[in-house]
């Protein structure tokens, strides 16, 4: 119930205005968001890469409604990729892109604009010596995102995809995307979805996650295990071992600010650990989804506000 409430609030303009205008909020947000500026992102990248982990950078923004906004997001990715290359960080850091932020649902030629912008980001990433992963959003975007993925992979076969285990369709999508060289990030999912398309019970979502993991680990692609759940991490490790995988052909991923000690422990074992690092001004929707994922995050948020008040 709390999760549904928070996800509902995430879409509320009134709640957004209230949270964003509260001075006490931003210091708390910094636990989950590297900062508002590209310099903040680069500082976080350097610290993480130096610690033996890797990074995927997300310039925050989604549901773009104007072509100008999509162009600004494209320029932000061009800037950060150029700086990663310039500062020698590209080998340890890639970028994640939400297609809705680069024009996917603009009223005129949205998919075409998103494809063109995503293609440009891939070109710049390739020149910098790194890769791109297409983030997945709510279920209404899935077919469009996978269609754009197929187009991009013609020229950039390394483009990563994200699949969400709480969607009923995902096991089938995993089978289609488990071929040679296919990079797939498997997460549980963080949007409010109807029962007709998504599992609602935690046990069902967990079971789906394991089934999808099995498909990806048995396949010929590169699974990216995005989970903070110790049980899922352990299952992924066991499946990787059973299928003869090593640290070079799969990785674990966790969010910036969540379970940092475990992130370091995974990297310390010689396994590949990538941290999802968001940055930028448009942090509200991302932040609310992080609160919705774990009650402990809500407790942390409220305790921090009480401490600062």
């Amino acid at each position: 119930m709390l999760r549904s409430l928070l996800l509902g609030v995430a879409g509320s303009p009134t709640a957004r205005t209230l949270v964003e205008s509260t001075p006490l909020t931003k210091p708390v947000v910094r636990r989950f968001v590297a900062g508002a500026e590209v310099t903040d992102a680069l500082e976080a990248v350097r610290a993480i890469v130096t610690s033996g982990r890797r990074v995927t950078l997300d310039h925050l923004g989604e549901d773009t409604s104007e072509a100008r906004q999509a162009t600004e997001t494209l320029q932000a990715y061009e800037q950060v990729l150029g700086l990663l290359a310039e500062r020698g960080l590209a080998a340890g850091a890639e970028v994640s892109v939400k297609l809705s932020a680069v024009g996917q649902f603009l009223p005129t030629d949205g998919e075409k604009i998103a494809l063109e912008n995503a293609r440009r980001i891939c070109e710049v990433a390739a020149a910098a010596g790194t890769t791109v992963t297409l983030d997945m959003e709510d279920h209404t975007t899935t077919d469009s995102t996978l269609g754009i993925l197929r187009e991009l992979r013609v020229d950039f076969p390394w483009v990563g995809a994200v699949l969400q285990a709480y969607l009923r369709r995902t096991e089938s999508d995993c089978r289609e995307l488990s071929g040679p060289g296919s990079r797939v990030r498997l997460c549980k999912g963080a949007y409010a979805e109807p029962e007709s398309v998504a599992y609602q019970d935690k046990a069902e979502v967990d079971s789906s996650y394991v089934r999808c993991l099995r498909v990806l680990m048995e396949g010929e692609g590169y699974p990216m295990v995005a989970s903070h759940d110790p049980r899922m991490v352990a299952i992924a490790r066991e499946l990787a071992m059973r299928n003869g995988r090593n640290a070079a052909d799969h990785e674990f991923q966790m969010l910036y600010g969540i379970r940092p000690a475990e992130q370091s422990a995974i990297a310390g074992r010689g396994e590949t650990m990538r941290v999802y690092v968001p940055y930028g001004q448009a942090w509200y929707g991302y932040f609310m989804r992080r609160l919705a994922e774990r009650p402990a995050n809500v407790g942390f948020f409220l305790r921090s506000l009480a401490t600062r008040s």
Side-chain angles (χ1 to χ4, degrees), residues 44-66:
V45 170
R46 185 173 296 282
I48 292 167
V49 170
T50 300
S51 75
R53 295 168 289 166
R54 299 182 186 179
V55 171
T56 184
L57 272 176
D58 173 19
H59 178 75
L60 291 170
E62 54 194 272
D63 299 330
T64 292
S65 58
E66 298 178 12

Side-chain angles (χ1 to χ4, degrees), residues 136 146 161-165 170 173-174 177 184-188:
M136 193 64 76
L146 293 181
V162 177
L163 296 176
Q164 302 174 107
T170 298
D173 289 333
C174 284
L177 291 172
V184 177
R185 176 194 301 156
L186 180 66
C187 63
K188 288 186 178 180

Side-chain angles (χ1 to χ4, degrees), residues 132-184:
V132 177
T133 295
L134 300 184
D135 270 334
M136 193 64 76
E137 301 176 67
D138 70 73
H139 80 278
T140 64
T141 71
T142 304
D143 286 330
S144 172
T145 298
L146 293 181
I148 291 173
L149 174 74
R150 285 190 290 271
E151 293 281 348
L152 291 173
R153 282 187 170 179
V154 172
D155 296 314
F156 309 99
W158 41 257
V159 175
V162 177
L163 296 176
Q164 302 174 107
Y166 69 172
L167 295 182
R168 298 178 186 274
R169 62 176 286 171
T170 298
E171 187 175 356
S172 175
D173 289 333
C174 284
R175 295 188 189 283
E176 292 185 17
L177 291 172
S178 61
S182 178
R183 298 170 58 247
V184 177

Side-chain angles (χ1 to χ4, degrees), residues 77-124:
Y77 276 104
E78 290 175 328
Q79 178 189 34
V80 76
L81 284 164
L83 290 170
L84 288 173
E86 179 183 304
R87 301 188 184 190
L89 297 170
E94 66 142 34
V95 296
S96 288
V97 178
K98 286 182 173 62
L99 290 176
S100 74
V102 292
Q104 187 176 27
F105 291 106
L106 292 175
T108 303
D109 294 329
E111 286 196 7
K112 179 182 177 183
I113 291 170
L115 174 58
E116 291 174 350
N117 286 337
R119 186 182 300 281
R120 175 57 185 160
I121 293 171
C122 289
E123 290 170 350
V124 178

